[in-house]
Amino acid sequence: MAEAGALAVEGLTKRFGATPVLDRLDLSIPAGSFVALLGASGSGKTTLLRLIAGLEEPDGGRILLDGEDLAGLPAY
């Protein structure tokens, strides 16, 4: 079982039409960590945050919080 509050992104993919925004992204953030996302405009930062928040549906991959997949859960 994952540590409480740990976030893991495994093979996350998101496309808008034929344009890939995130392509098999892997990311692990330990519980209690402070993280900043840096990158150029259009690099997928906001899309990643919207996927984690449940405001967008991924085209592939998983988003795990405390080891539980968040896919299909509403934002609220």
Side-chain angles (χ1 to χ4, degrees), residues 29-48:
I29 302 173
S33 295
F34 183 85
V35 176
L37 297 174
L38 303 173
S41 179
S43 64
K45 301 177 302 288
T46 300
T47 299
L48 174 60

Side-chain angles (χ1 to χ4, degrees), residues 21-64:
V21 178
L22 298 174
D23 189 21
R24 298 180 309 256
L25 174 72
D26 291 321
L27 176 68
S28 179
I29 302 173
S33 295
F34 183 85
V35 176
L37 297 174
L38 303 173
S41 179
S43 64
K45 301 177 302 288
T46 300
T47 299
L48 174 60
L49 293 175
R50 290 181 59 82
L51 287 162
I52 291 170
L55 300 173
E56 297 279 350
E57 287 289 324
D59 294 323
R62 303 187 315 159
I63 302 168
L64 305 168

